[in-house]
Amino acid sequence: MVSLALVGACDRMRGQKGGDEGTSGGDTILVGEFGSFTGSEATFGQSTHNGIMLALKEINAAGGVKGKKIEVKWLDDAGKTQEAGLAVTRLITENHVVAVLGEVASSLSLAGGRVAQQKGIPMISPSSTNPDVTDLGDMIFRVCFIDPFQGYVGAKFARETLKAQKAAILYDQAQAYSQGLREEFKKAFLKLGGEVVTEQAFSGGDSDFSAQLTTIRDAKPDVIYLPGYYTDVGNTVLQARKLGMTQPFLGGDGWDSAQLAKIAGSAIEGSYYSNHYSHEDTRPAVQNFVKKYKAEFNAVPDGLAALGYDSMVILADAMKRAASLGGKDLAKAISETKDFPAVTGIITIDEHRNPHKPAVVVMMKNGTPTYVTTIDPPTYATTINPPK
Amino acid sequence: MTKLLQTLVDGISVGSLYALIALGYTMVYGILSFINFAHSDVFMLGAWISLALSQALGWADVAPPAWAIAVVLPAAMVLCAVIGFTIERLAYRPLRAAPRLNVLITAIGVSLLLENSGALPFLFGTQPQSMPRLIADRPLATIAGVNINVVDVVVVVVAVTLMTLLQWLVFGTKLGRAMRAVSFSDKIAALMGVNVNLVISFTFVVGSALAAAAGLLYAMKYPGIKQPADASWVLLGLKAFCAAVVGGIGNVRGAMLGGLLIGLVELFGAAYVSTTLRDAYVFLVLIAVLLGRPSGILGRAVVEKV
Amino acid sequence: MARPIDIADATRRLAPSLAASIPRSILPLAVGLGLSILAQLFVPAVGDFYYTLLINIGINVILAVSLNIVNGLTGQFSIGHAGFMLVGGYVAGIITYYGSYAIFGNTQVIDQFLGPGEWLFVGGSVAGGLAAAACGYLVGLPSLRLRGDYLAIVTLGFGEIVRVLFQLTTPVLKGDDLATAPLSKKLVALGGAQGFGAIPRYTTLFWVLAFVTLSLIVAIRLKRSTYGRAFLAIRENEIAAEAMGVNTTQTKVRAFVLSAFFAGIAGSLFAHQLSTNLNPRELGFQKSFDVVIMVVLGGMGSVSGAVVAAVLLTILPELLREVSEYRMIAYALLLIIMMILRPQGIFGVKEVWELFRGRDRRRGS
């Protein structure tokens, strides 16, 4: 008891010594970012961070917002929800950020989002696709599409373009993202009159999929839905081809990375995935982004980097439009984002604080994703989140 | 029938990898009586060092020559052997007399150190990468509808060769006899003139080299290499450790058998029972063996004299 | 010169029975609860960050102190502690989630202090603890046949199996499903990999510190009682203890059960904290290792050592968070150096106050 009290006192003293400047009062605007820079999710956190930093550089070079430069304070959460919640608390109460950016994994966004919602500070998640995240409250937004929509896109493409009658699903049971997409794809595919012949699971981190693939092979599907991250997809597809499977694979935005083609080589040729944007898109926003990213980081940006970039530019845009940088005003400005030309699509934030934007489906041809088609979310949006 | 054979082939291939890693665990446990948690990270480093070497030698973009693997394999083994030696010298030797839980903590510390150092931007970074194909990836033969791939054959051949070499080393040389003596009792071995420190260092060196080989073989079989701090490396190491225990910890032949067994159990369980419980099978088998025959399949029960 | 025998001191050190312990515990309990109330009243004014940090510290203290019972006092090698947290967290979550729905018709209501919702949480935590204790019993049973490292692997395996099982659960029920779903479906709808985040967040600093007080009192009383003596005897030499009449299996199982109980409570506190999202991945072997490190660093067998280590190792990542990539490396190096330089941990098996007492006595004689 005594030790705890002592510790409490020490903490108090420590806090008053350091501290950060840069609230909206000074001449910089402080934005918080929480992400996984260490631990198993580090790939995703790093990509997202790169996108955010690139956007930051551009925004500040163009003069900042309302004459002030933006500064991003980022904290690592090591992929743990306890640290994510604590990091967001720290950003808000100790660093006095006006908004928070983060995270990729839905459970981390939920933990951080709950804190942000309670404190009345707006948060934009670049890539959490679980619908629950924005349901936390009116302070929480996202710039990526949600699982129900993406699952629908996959199913619609499989049924209507690939004319597939039977589908097999191979999903990562350890990732909420993959589980979510599996549920939604299955629902939509069945609704569209298709048949799911088998569902097989792997655990993210597995490298050997031969057992699952053999079972899938025996079930003779027309297409295989593989909503995983590119880190696993590469190995999976390679093994599938070795087993003599020729069906096309269909995936989600987790596939988007330059590493995919490198790992999978020719095995991934002729497979498809739904994504936020296509590298071939001639829109200046996309081309500029890809060019600048390559120059800055010497690598081709993946989907997460693009979303990180978009979360920052949309936040900056909202800051310009907001009456003040207070929580409520800023959140209102974000919710009023309309037809914003982001990298990952023309974004309008809908009444559930999700972006109303189309998805593209791309096909892997000669090692690069080539554009196939766009699928819009017109009437579907209202059926995704039934009012509670 | 095809499925059975396919699963068998895959199980043997995966099992050989587990066996190679398990050997490192079992040798260290036999000599020092502690679980070297950092071993899975040496395995990880073996994979990444192979990748880095292959890229440095320019084989990421150009098709590598046939002798490529003959260069990368020994190089990776030597480098990891050095790493293993250094770890033992700096982190474990000072704790020779300490309680085992403390050495375990140190091992965990070393494991964290290796993982996070590997993930530093100037080393291997946090992005997964693709392993250059040192061996052409094509099917060698098709028997009864089952594809047997060149890579699988190479994995099994190299693994078996290394294990045979180890077998000869441990049972056919003087140094091997010293190793066995130290694992029986280090104090008595010292009294009989064995340089215990040398033997222990040598054990780590050999174990690490084998882990490096396993790393390279793993990278060839599964070219998508996950980032150093990914939890999957530790999980693989844990499964290999279970293999060592199942076979009889401290027993070299036991580790080989255990590795094979665990590989087969995992693959058959995933294929015929359910894929969702894949990780659990290994631990369930482990618990079953520990409850039924704690000394493992090939181990001998040690009677503790009071 | 030989130390004179202090009769009074020797009598004082006679292990008290359980009955004698209870009246002696009332004062510390009251003091602890009083401090908890004060903390709850005044800390939020300092800042939410410190409030949350103190909650995290409190939870880690409960974990470290509970693991100390098994690893420290009894000398067993348990590295699956997080599995008990998972069990406790999910069981308590089920009670608060469905209970809130049953009482309020809404799962997100946070009731007023000491209202029925609050008691649902406390009761749920205790139930979670009991469920975890039952698991502790199962894990402790193999200790009849297994020693040392083998038992360690079984505990590790248990932790992993629990993690995998919770990962397989179905998505959380919402809206109409909550009312219509059968019980069997309700019990399995725990969110899978995403976790059970929809539960009402009742954890406050007061409850955390209250449970910390409880665990500390139990741990210290335990150590000083006949049970504690039995634990220590097994730790020192199991065969000798058996020869002296200690029922080693029963005692070891007892240690596991008690330790698991508090870990389950800690799990419930963790799950109901505002800033977390209970999910299986986070409470896997890495979390178990974190707790083991706290126990070993603090000194195996020392309750106050476990507390100090828990506090330090919760604050340290915060201090180092700025230098993220190097944070884990610094942490790892710290571990290794600590183990090499002071392997018995900070306090060894002694408590903080015992260190001073020894010095005084030497000076006095």
Side-chain angles (χ1 to χ4, degrees):
Chain A
M1 286 285 97
V2 178
S3 50
L4 280 176
L6 277 174
V7 162
C10 290
D11 276 341
R12 219 170 302 164
M13 291 191 293
R14 185 167 54 86
Q16 280 158 6
K17 254 191 291 175
D20 277 44
E21 313 86 52
T23 64
S24 40
D27 58 352
T28 53
I29 301 175
L30 199 56
V31 168
E33 179 197 346
F34 70 110
S36 308
F37 295 95
T38 56
S40 286
E41 316 283 314
T43 31
F44 309 133
Q46 193 60 52
S47 285
T48 312
H49 182 68
N50 287 351
I52 293 177
M53 286 294 129
L54 186 64
L56 182 71
K57 200 166 155 199
E58 277 179 25
I59 294 169
N60 281 342
V65 166
K66 292 180 176 161
K68 298 187 196 155
K69 299 262 190 255
I70 303 182
E71 194 188 310
V72 168
K73 176 143 182 75
W74 50 273
L75 291 179
D76 173 30
D77 61 25
K80 301 188 193 157
T81 65
Q82 197 176 30
E83 298 203 24
L86 190 61
V88 173
T89 313
R90 182 167 160 175
L91 284 170
I92 294 177
T93 58
E94 299 301 302
N95 301 117
H96 307 292
V97 298
V98 302
V100 177
L101 295 175
E103 237 262 22
V104 175
S106 295
S107 56
L108 297 169
S109 290
L110 284 167
R114 220 169 267 119
V115 176
Q117 178 64 36
Q118 196 207 40
K119 302 252 168 291
I121 297 286
M123 176 176 121
I124 301 183
S125 165
S127 351
S128 283
T129 53
N130 192 295
D132 288 346
V133 173
T134 42
D135 282 344
L136 282 174
D138 58 352
M139 288 286 145
I140 315 296
F141 303 84
R142 75 177 106 213
V143 293
C144 55
F145 39 59
I146 56 179
D147 288 337
F149 175 56
Q150 199 175 186
Y152 162 78
V153 166
K156 189 167 152 93
F157 183 77
R159 283 293 288 149
E160 293 175 11
T161 314
L162 295 181
K163 307 271 189 275
Q165 175 62 31
K166 298 197 264 185
I169 307 179
L170 178 58
Y171 67 100
D172 183 346
Q173 62 176 350
Q175 283 283 359
Y177 162 80
S178 191
Q179 266 192 346
L181 277 183
R182 162 216 179 192
E183 299 276 335
E184 299 300 333
F185 174 85
K186 189 167 150 193
K187 264 197 279 193
F189 196 71
L190 291 173
K191 213 164 165 185
L192 288 168
E195 187 194 330
V196 174
V197 290
T198 179
E199 291 177 81
Q200 296 291 312
F202 62 93
S203 264
D206 278 357
S207 344
D208 194 278
F209 307 95
S210 39
Q212 294 92 324
L213 288 169
T214 316
T215 313
I216 291 178
R217 182 179 70 175
D218 293 342
K220 298 201 186 23
D222 300 317
V223 70
I224 304 165
Y225 191 58
L226 179 54
Y229 286 112
Y230 64 92
T231 47
D232 299 310
V233 170
N235 282 331
T236 314
V237 176
L238 270 175
Q239 286 170 31
R241 300 298 178 227
K242 276 193 218 172
L243 284 173
M245 291 164 76
T246 51
Q247 298 94 330
F249 280 83
L250 177 61
D253 64 321
W255 282 35
D256 191 45
S257 162
Q259 286 296 328
L260 181 65
K262 279 201 203 148
I263 299 172
S266 57
I268 199 91
E269 292 291 306
S271 286
Y272 307 85
Y273 63 97
S274 54
N275 199 12
H276 307 273
Y277 73 116
S278 164
H279 305 278
E280 297 174 337
D281 195 335
T282 49
R283 275 192 302 125
V286 179
Q287 293 306 316
N288 271 340
F289 168 68
V290 176
K291 204 167 63 189
K292 287 196 203 117
Y293 192 95
K294 274 192 201 165
E296 179 91 12
F297 299 106
N298 201 18
V300 175
D302 58 15
L304 291 174
L307 287 168
Y309 182 90
D310 279 346
S311 62
M312 184 75 230
V313 297
I314 287 182
L315 179 65
D317 174 72
M319 283 200 263
K320 287 190 190 131
R321 286 182 283 113
S324 79
L325 290 177
K328 279 204 156 30
D329 288 334
L330 190 50
K332 184 156 175 292
I334 299 174
S335 67
E336 287 168 353
T337 304
K338 201 167 149 64
D339 296 329
F340 185 87
V343 173
T344 61
I346 311 288
I347 292 184
T348 300
I349 300 287
D350 69 16
E351 68 271 16
H352 296 288
R353 293 171 299 286
N354 298 321
H356 189 89
K357 60 176 180 176
V360 301
V361 179
V362 296
M363 179 174 91
M364 290 301 285
K365 195 155 101 175
N366 296 329
T368 46
T370 44
Y371 175 81
V372 177
T373 181
T374 307
I375 297 185
D376 287 310
T379 54
Y380 197 72
T382 52
T383 57
I384 295 173
N385 274 326
K388 292 227 168 50
Chain B
M1 191 55 184
T2 319
K3 186 168 171 183
L4 186 84
L5 284 176
Q6 184 73 59
T7 316
L8 192 66
V9 167
D10 292 322
I12 293 177
S13 183
V14 169
S16 318
L17 287 174
Y18 281 146
L20 277 178
I21 308 172
L23 281 167
Y25 280 115
T26 211
M27 288 198 298
V28 166
Y29 191 90
I31 290 202
L32 286 177
S33 294
F34 95 99
I35 308 169
N36 181 11
F37 265 109
H39 195 60
S40 60
D41 297 280
V42 176
F43 163 64
M44 175 273 290
L45 284 174
W48 273 95
I49 288 177
S50 312
L51 189 145
L53 273 175
S54 308
Q55 284 182 340
L57 290 170
W59 290 325
D61 311 301
V62 174
W67 44 265
I69 189 175
V71 166
V72 175
L73 181 64
M77 286 173 79
V78 165
L79 281 170
C80 283
V82 169
I83 294 174
F85 177 79
T86 316
I87 295 172
E88 193 273 322
R89 233 8 215 93
L90 293 179
Y92 299 151
R93 190 175 293 191
L95 291 168
R96 216 43 92 65
R100 300 215 290 247
L101 199 53
N102 291 51
V103 197
L104 186 79
I105 307 293
T106 313
I108 295 175
V110 173
S111 172
L112 286 172
L113 186 66
L114 289 176
E115 277 170 24
N116 287 284
S117 312
L120 283 174
F122 52 84
L123 275 179
F124 300 128
T126 55
Q127 303 290 330
Q129 288 189 37
S130 166
M131 175 74 182
R133 308 286 197 273
L134 298 180
I135 303 234
D137 200 7
R138 52 189 172 72
L140 184 64
T142 311
I143 304 176
V146 173
N147 268 342
I148 300 186
N149 210 287
V150 177
V151 172
D152 283 332
V153 172
V154 169
V155 165
V156 176
V157 165
V158 171
V160 169
T161 313
L162 287 172
M163 287 192 266
T164 317
L165 278 173
L166 183 74
Q167 181 92 318
W168 165 77
L169 176 72
V170 172
F171 292 102
T173 64
K174 206 162 150 197
L175 190 51
R177 198 157 5 134
M179 285 168 76
R180 281 181 285 139
V182 172
S183 82
F184 190 77
S185 165
D186 54 337
K187 293 193 178 61
I188 297 181
L191 285 175
M192 302 301 270
V194 172
N195 183 341
V196 175
N197 280 342
L198 182 70
V199 167
I200 293 181
S201 292
F202 186 72
T203 309
F204 270 88
V205 161
V206 170
S208 303
L210 288 174
L216 170 59
L217 292 173
Y218 183 84
M220 290 203 307
K221 195 162 153 66
Y222 308 112
I225 311 290
K226 299 246 166 59
Q227 53 129 351
D230 198 286
S232 56
W233 297 108
V234 179
L235 201 61
L236 275 165
L238 276 178
K239 288 189 198 169
F241 179 71
C242 291
V245 173
V246 164
I249 195 129
N251 187 311
V252 163
R253 289 187 190 112
M256 299 182 200
L257 181 65
L260 214 61
L261 205 67
I262 290 288
L264 288 169
V265 161
E266 193 185 332
L267 272 271
F268 271 95
Y272 286 96
V273 182
S274 155
T275 51
T276 47
L277 291 170
R278 192 194 189 109
D279 285 344
Y281 297 137
V282 176
F283 290 110
L284 285 170
V285 167
L286 174 74
I287 293 177
V289 166
L290 283 180
L291 290 178
R293 195 187 155 83
S295 47
I297 299 180
L298 292 183
R300 261 170 306 135
V302 174
V303 177
E304 202 173 331
K305 292 202 73 169
V306 187
Chain C
M1 181 185 152
R3 262 197 337 228
I5 297 172
D6 187 325
I7 302 288
D9 192 41
T11 323
R12 203 188 321 136
R13 284 189 185 187
L14 272 179
S17 67
L18 194 61
S21 294
I22 294 180
R24 261 196 244 181
S25 308
I26 292 182
L27 183 61
L29 193 65
V31 169
L33 284 176
L35 282 175
S36 311
I37 294 176
L38 285 176
Q40 178 64 36
L41 291 174
F42 293 117
V43 174
V46 178
D48 261 355
F49 170 64
Y50 298 109
Y51 182 78
T52 313
L53 190 62
L54 276 178
I55 289 184
N56 287 355
I57 291 177
I59 293 176
N60 281 342
V61 166
I62 299 178
L63 287 170
V65 164
S66 61
L67 188 62
N68 187 44
I69 298 175
V70 174
N71 282 24
L73 286 183
T74 320
Q76 297 304 299
F77 211 158
S78 169
I79 45 180
H81 213 52
F84 300 127
M85 276 184 85
L86 275 178
V87 172
Y90 274 101
V91 168
I94 289 174
I95 291 178
T96 46
Y97 189 65
Y98 295 116
S100 285
Y101 186 72
I103 296 180
F104 304 112
N106 181 329
T107 56
Q108 292 309 306
V109 165
I110 302 292
D111 204 13
Q112 81 268 25
F113 186 60
L114 293 186
E118 192 100 8
W119 290 115
L120 206 58
F121 163 61
V122 177
S125 301
V126 173
L130 290 172
C135 292
Y137 183 77
L138 287 174
V139 174
L141 282 181
S143 64
L144 168 66
R145 302 204 60 180
L146 298 173
R147 296 280 156 78
D149 297 338
Y150 291 142
L151 186 60
I153 303 158
V154 168
T155 56
L156 187 65
F158 159 77
E160 282 304 286
I161 291 174
V162 167
R163 177 186 65 80
V164 168
L165 287 177
F166 278 120
Q167 222 166 259
L168 295 176
T169 51
T170 54
V172 177
L173 296 172
K174 294 217 184 91
D176 296 325
D177 284 338
L178 266 180
T180 55
L183 185 66
S184 55
K185 198 159 169 227
K186 277 187 188 166
L187 287 179
V188 193
L190 300 173
Q194 188 196 313
F196 201 9
I199 56 184
R201 302 310 176 102
Y202 274 109
T203 300
T204 57
L205 189 56
F206 167 69
W207 285 115
V208 170
L209 290 180
F211 280 116
V212 166
T213 312
L214 184 68
S215 61
L216 283 177
I217 292 175
V218 169
I220 295 180
R221 288 277 159 255
L222 199 65
K223 187 175 173 189
R224 298 224 185 117
S225 70
T226 47
Y227 297 121
R229 302 241 146 215
F231 292 148
L232 286 167
I234 292 178
R235 166 194 145 130
E236 292 307 315
N237 188 327
E238 192 165 335
I239 297 173
E242 181 87 48
M244 293 303 279
V246 174
N247 184 335
T248 51
T249 307
Q250 202 184 73
T251 312
K252 281 193 272 188
V253 169
R254 196 175 282 144
F256 269 103
V257 166
L258 279 165
S259 142
F261 175 73
F262 284 108
I265 290 188
S268 167
L269 292 171
F270 173 90
H272 290 90
Q273 202 181 354
L274 183 79
S275 53
T276 62
N277 208 59
L278 176 66
N279 69 85
R281 205 146 163 214
E282 192 163 334
L283 299 181
F285 61 79
Q286 279 160 335
K287 182 78 181 169
S288 299
F289 286 171
D290 283 344
V291 186
V292 171
I293 290 169
M294 285 178 210
V295 171
V296 175
L297 229 49
M300 304 248 284
S302 166
V303 176
S304 47
V307 172
V308 169
V311 170
L312 284 177
L313 290 180
T314 316
I315 296 181
L316 196 64
E318 276 317 297
L319 289 174
L320 293 177
R321 200 177 288 279
E322 314 270 324
V323 273
S324 109
E325 287 146 356
Y326 299 96
R327 165 165 71 135
M328 288 311 288
I329 296 178
Y331 188 73
L333 281 172
L334 186 76
L335 269 180
I336 299 174
I337 293 172
M338 250 313 271
M339 283 295 106
I340 295 178
L341 293 181
R342 196 173 163 87
Q344 73 268 39
I346 301 177
F347 292 124
V349 76
K350 296 197 195 241
E351 304 295 336
V352 188
W353 47 88
E354 284 168 22
L355 287 177
F356 299 124
R357 197 193 294 161
R359 256 181 250 152
D360 282 335
R361 292 194 62 242
R362 252 179 273 134
R363 246 185 277 134
S365 65

